[in-house]
Amino acid sequence: MQKTLRIKNDIHELSMMNQFLEEAGEELGLSTAFMMSLNLVMEEAVSNIIFYAYKGDVEDAVDISLVREGGELIVTLIDHGIAFDPTLRKDPDITLSAEDRPIGGLGIFLIKKIMDEVSYQRVDERNVFIMKEKNNRIKYKDMEVVIDQKGEETVIKIKGRLDTNTARECEEKVLPVWENPGVKVCVDCSDLEYVSSAGLRLFLILQKMTTAKKGSLRLIGMRNVVRETFSLTGFNALFKIEDAK
């Protein structure tokens, strides 16, 4: 899955980048803790491009790409500025006293400390800066499904996030419940923290299957943030939604 953004080499564009990172982080399922580190890394890297890649008041673009590929998150920054390999910059001596410390030079040092891999290429008169993070440190937000039988009703409890990264897994786990006609299902949403359009798609599939099987489906214990998403998309009118007892 890839998310991209193009901004101008203007410091005021950082607010747009921050909004992009917030939305991309949600869609990619990145943990809040990791997103704090990623925001720091991106501010350091992109502000360096804005301040130092161009001479004078040259207006150009900075292309940002976030890709979740297998067990890695790959962040790529591309600009047309002056050729500069930040990975060659010598790490500062962090043992020096305040009096002996030079001003600046900590940006790329922080990036290299936070990210697993950092590399640079000069391709077609463009600077290509690539940062990678391994899956075991990204800590994608998890989703868990617990299925229990209570009398004639099957109770499905969904915990965590139901988004682009987890909806397919959830679908595979719950679909067998709808194998028999007249199925009665209760989806416990009390521990469902977030639902994206991919999650809504799954709920709609389950409702259509319930109708086809001439069964019943109810959703209980929905948190306000999830209920709001259902309301904004009109899904609240499509389902029987009840408070938890």
Side-chain angles (χ1 to χ4, degrees), residues 163-176:
D163 54 26
T164 304
N165 296 307
T166 61
R168 179 59 62 86
E169 177 188 353
C170 184
E171 182 177 347
E172 292 174 353
K173 289 182 177 180
V174 304
L175 283 187

Side-chain angles (χ1 to χ4, degrees), residues 76-103:
T76 305
L77 305 178
I78 300 176
D79 68 83
H80 296 83
I82 301 167
F84 173 67
D85 184 352
T87 65
L88 298 179
R89 189 181 184 97
K90 185 179 179 180
D91 289 345
D93 185 350
I94 60 175
T95 65
L96 294 176
S97 64
E99 291 77 13
D100 295 329
R101 281 278 191 108
I103 301 297

Side-chain angles (χ1 to χ4, degrees), residues 78-202:
I78 300 176
D79 68 83
H80 296 83
I82 301 167
F84 173 67
D85 184 352
T87 65
L88 298 179
R89 189 181 184 97
K90 185 179 179 180
D91 289 345
D93 185 350
I94 60 175
T95 65
L96 294 176
S97 64
E99 291 77 13
D100 295 329
R101 281 278 191 108
I103 301 297
L106 292 174
I108 185 62
F109 175 73
L110 285 171
I111 292 171
K112 290 193 291 185
K113 285 293 184 182
I114 292 172
M115 304 299 285
D116 286 324
E117 295 181 24
V118 178
S119 63
Y120 168 85
Q121 302 173 38
R122 182 71 177 179
V123 181
D124 296 331
E125 301 301 315
R126 299 180 302 169
N127 294 309
V128 181
F129 187 50
I130 302 171
M131 301 171 285
K132 296 182 180 182
E133 189 74 4
K134 304 295 184 181
N135 188 47
N136 62 332
R137 293 186 59 200
I138 294 173
K139 297 182 180 177
Y140 293 108
K141 295 181 178 178
D142 296 326
M143 181 277 306
E144 181 182 356
V145 176
V146 178
I147 301 177
D148 191 19
Q149 193 68 36
K150 293 187 177 181
E152 296 183 350
E153 190 174 53
T154 302
V155 178
I156 301 173
K157 189 176 184 67
I158 304 176
K159 303 179 181 180
R161 295 171 53 89
L162 196 54
D163 54 26
T164 304
N165 296 307
T166 61
R168 179 59 62 86
E169 177 188 353
C170 184
E171 182 177 347
E172 292 174 353
K173 289 182 177 180
V174 304
L175 283 187
V177 173
W178 274 263
E179 288 180 349
N180 299 319
V183 62
K184 296 180 180 180
V185 180
C186 169
V187 178
D188 186 345
C189 302
S190 57
D191 289 330
L192 181 60
E193 301 172 358
Y194 170 87
V195 61
S196 71
S197 60
L200 292 175
R201 172 187 173 278
L202 174 57

